[in-house]
Amino acid sequence: MNNILATLIDILSQPAILVALIALVGLLAQRKNLSDTMKGTTKTFVGFLVIAAGAGILETSLVPFGSMFQEAFNVSGVVPNNEAIVALALNEYGSNTALIMFFGMIVNILIARFTRFKYIFLTGHHTLYMACMLAVIMAVAGFTTVPLIAAGSVALGIIMTLSPAILQPFMRKLTGNNNVALGHFSAVGYALSGLVGKAVKGKESTSTEKIDFPKGLGFLRDSTVSIALTMVVMYFIVALAAGPAYIEGELSDDTNFLVFSLIQAGNFAAGVFIILAGVRLVLAEIVPAFKGISTKLVPNAKPALDVPIVFTYAPNAVLIGFFSSFVGGLFSMIIMAVVGSTIILPGVVPHFFTGAAAGVFGNATGGVKGAVAGAFVNGIIISFLPVFLLPVLGELGFANTTFSDADFGVGGIFFGTLANYAGPMAIVISLIVILVLMAIPFRSKKSA
C-alpha cells in the first residue's frame, strides 16, 4: 500500500507527467491519429520540463540573494517557503496527503462536470502543497482517518475550482480569450492586484511593455537584457552590503563575490528566458489537446495551468512586479518589528513568482502604476497572511517556515478558524454549504 501511495504521489505531483497525461487523454478523445497524438503529448511533456528547468535555475539564483540579504541587514524570522514546510509535514502526514490529493482531484473534476465552474486544476505540485496543508489542519481540527481524508479531499477540490474561477475575469482581460485559466494558489493576491490596477489607472495608462525608453537606451526594450542588467545592479548592491568575507566563505566557494553575483544575475535572466520558451511550447499544444476533454468529458472545461503561463504577456511587468512585491514584503517586515508580532521575512522565491504575476495582472488593468501598486499590495498580503496562518498549523506553527502564497493563507485561516471556534462539524457544514452554492445554476453572458 505504501509503495502504491508513493508512486501515486510521485506521478500526481509532477506537472510534466500530469499535464502530458491530460493532453494524451484529450487527443485520444478527439481521435487524433498516432502521429498527432505522439507529437502533442511529447511536446507538452517536454514543454513543462523546460518550464521546470527554468524555474529551477531561477530558484538556484535567488537562494543566495536571500542569504546575502539576511546577512547584509542582520534580520531573522520566519521565512515562508512551500517546499520547506511540506518537507517537514510529509514525515507525519504523507499518507493522508497522498489520499487527499488523489480524491481532491476527482472532486475537482466532478465539480467541473456538474457545476458552472469549469476549471480543471493542473498544477500538480501546488495541489500536493495544498493537500498537505489541509491534512495538517484537518488533523489539528480533530478529524481522523476516513473523515479526515473525506473533509480534506472535498476542501481541496473546492479550492482547486474556486482559485482559478475568481481570477478568470482578469485572465480574460490579460489573454483576450477564455481558453485557459491560471492554476496557482495565489489567486487572491493576483485578483487584488488586478483590482488595485483598476483603482490607480486614471484616465490614461501606459503598459509596462510600451515604456518609452530614450533612444540611447533602446536595448532595454529587450526583456532579457533589461532583466539581466537590473538583476546585476540588485545583486551587486546586496553583495557589497553583505561583504566578500561572508559570500566567498559561505556561498561562492571562494569565487570572487562580485563575479559570483554577476553569474547569479545572469542565471536569473537565463531562467526567465527558458521559462518563456517553455510556456510558448506548452500553450501551443495543451489548449488544442484540452478541447478533447472539454468536448467529451467535461463540456466547456478550461485547463488551469501554472503561473509562468502569464509571464509571456508582459515580461517587463514580471521584473517590476517582483521588485514591488519584495518592497511590500520589506515594508511589512518593518511594521511587524514595530508592533512586536512574529516577523515574516520576505522570501525571494515567493515574492518573485507571485509578485511577477501580480505585476502582470496589475499592468493588464492599470498599466505601469497598476503593476507597481498591485504587486506592492501582493507583497503585503503574502507577508501578513502567514502571521495568522501559523497558529492553526499545530506543531508546524513553531517551525521557522510556513506556507507562502495567498490562497494557502486564506484557505488555512478559514478552515483553521472554523475548527478552533466551532469544531469539526462547522467545517463539514461549511463544505456542504459551499458545494450547494456552487451547484446553483447561474446564467451570465460570460461563463464563470
Side-chain angles (χ1 to χ4, degrees):
M1 182 64 179
N2 287 335
N3 289 336
I4 294 174
L5 286 175
T7 302
L8 179 67
I9 202 168
D10 284 345
I11 292 173
L12 298 181
S13 62
Q14 293 294 326
I17 297 176
L18 179 62
V19 178
L21 289 173
I22 294 293
L24 175 61
V25 171
L27 291 167
L28 291 175
Q30 295 179 74
R31 297 183 180 180
K32 294 288 187 179
N33 59 43
L34 178 62
S35 176
D36 289 341
T37 301
M38 291 300 296
K39 184 183 75 171
T41 303
T42 303
K43 290 179 76 172
T44 300
F45 176 66
V46 172
F48 259 85
L49 289 178
V50 170
I51 293 173
I57 292 172
L58 272 179
E59 292 188 19
T60 300
S61 70
L62 287 174
V63 168
F65 184 90
S67 300
M68 288 189 289
F69 179 86
Q70 291 183 49
E71 173 68 18
F73 301 103
N74 193 28
V75 291
S76 61
V78 176
V79 182
N81 184 283
N82 291 330
E83 289 76 12
I85 190 71
V86 167
L88 292 173
L90 285 179
N91 290 327
E92 185 175 351
Y93 302 99
S95 296
N96 288 337
T97 295
L99 291 169
I100 288 173
M101 182 177 181
F102 177 73
F103 289 110
M105 294 176 74
I106 293 176
V107 172
N108 174 219
I109 293 170
L110 291 174
I111 291 173
R113 176 65 180 84
F114 295 107
T115 76
R116 65 185 186 274
F117 297 95
K118 305 296 183 180
Y119 305 97
I120 297 182
F121 197 96
L122 296 178
T123 307
H125 63 292
H126 255 223
T127 305
L128 169 66
Y129 301 159
M130 185 63 77
C132 185
M133 186 190 75
L134 290 171
V136 173
I137 289 176
M138 296 304 170
V140 172
F143 287 100
T144 57
T145 58
V146 174
L148 185 152
I149 294 166
S153 299
V154 174
L156 178 60
I158 290 172
I159 295 172
M160 291 171 73
T161 308
L162 291 184
S163 178
I166 66 173
L167 192 60
Q168 194 60 14
F170 300 100
M171 279 295 288
R172 284 196 293 265
K173 173 75 173 176
L174 178 66
T175 65
N177 59 59
N178 203 30
N179 296 332
V180 68
L182 184 62
H184 194 258
F185 287 132
S186 201
V188 171
Y190 304 151
L192 285 175
S193 180
L195 292 173
V196 169
K198 282 185 178 180
V200 302
K201 179 179 180 181
K203 293 182 179 179
E204 295 183 4
S205 63
T206 301
S207 170
T208 56
E209 310 313 298
K210 295 182 179 178
I211 297 175
D212 188 17
F213 293 104
K215 194 170 183 180
L217 298 177
F219 58 88
L220 292 175
R221 292 191 181 93
D222 187 311
S223 60
T224 301
V225 175
S226 61
I227 289 172
L229 293 179
T230 303
M231 292 307 295
V232 167
V233 172
M234 292 301 298
Y235 268 94
F236 276 15
I237 291 173
V238 176
L240 290 169
Y246 171 74
I247 296 173
E248 293 171 11
E250 301 293 333
L251 301 176
S252 71
D253 195 22
D254 290 331
T255 299
N256 179 274
F257 74 113
L258 291 180
V259 173
F260 175 77
S261 300
L262 177 65
I263 295 300
Q264 296 307 315
N267 283 337
F268 180 95
V272 174
F273 181 86
I274 292 170
I275 285 176
L276 297 182
V279 167
R280 294 186 186 100
L281 182 60
V282 169
L283 288 181
E285 300 298 331
I286 189 63
V287 174
F290 207 81
K291 289 181 180 178
I293 292 176
S294 177
T295 302
K296 302 289 184 180
L297 303 177
V298 183
N300 302 315
K302 301 175 187 66
L305 303 174
D306 201 0
V307 69
I309 66 167
V310 304
F311 292 174
T312 56
Y313 293 96
N316 290 338
V318 167
L319 194 60
I320 291 172
F322 167 40
F323 288 135
S324 295
S325 182
F326 192 75
V327 171
L330 294 176
F331 172 79
S332 302
M333 183 181 70
I334 294 170
I335 298 299
M336 292 171 194
V338 170
V339 302
S341 74
T342 300
I343 295 178
I344 303 296
L345 299 181
V348 181
V349 173
H351 275 288
F352 172 74
F353 284 102
T354 70
V360 172
F361 286 108
N363 176 65
T365 57
V368 176
K369 291 189 293 184
V372 173
F376 181 82
V377 170
N378 174 80
I380 293 175
I381 290 170
I382 67 171
S383 298
F384 278 98
L385 281 177
V387 173
F388 301 101
L389 177 62
L390 288 173
V392 306
L393 293 177
E395 293 182 1
L396 281 180
F398 297 100
N400 289 324
T401 187
T402 186
F403 294 93
S404 58
D405 299 355
D407 293 358
F408 291 98
V410 173
I413 292 167
F414 175 75
F415 288 114
T417 302
L418 279 179
N420 289 338
Y421 290 98
M425 187 54 64
I427 293 179
V428 174
I429 293 172
S430 69
L431 292 174
I432 294 172
V433 170
I434 294 171
L435 286 174
V436 170
L437 291 174
M438 293 176 72
I440 296 174
F442 178 79
R443 292 188 176 183
S444 173
K445 292 181 179 179
K446 292 183 178 179
S447 59

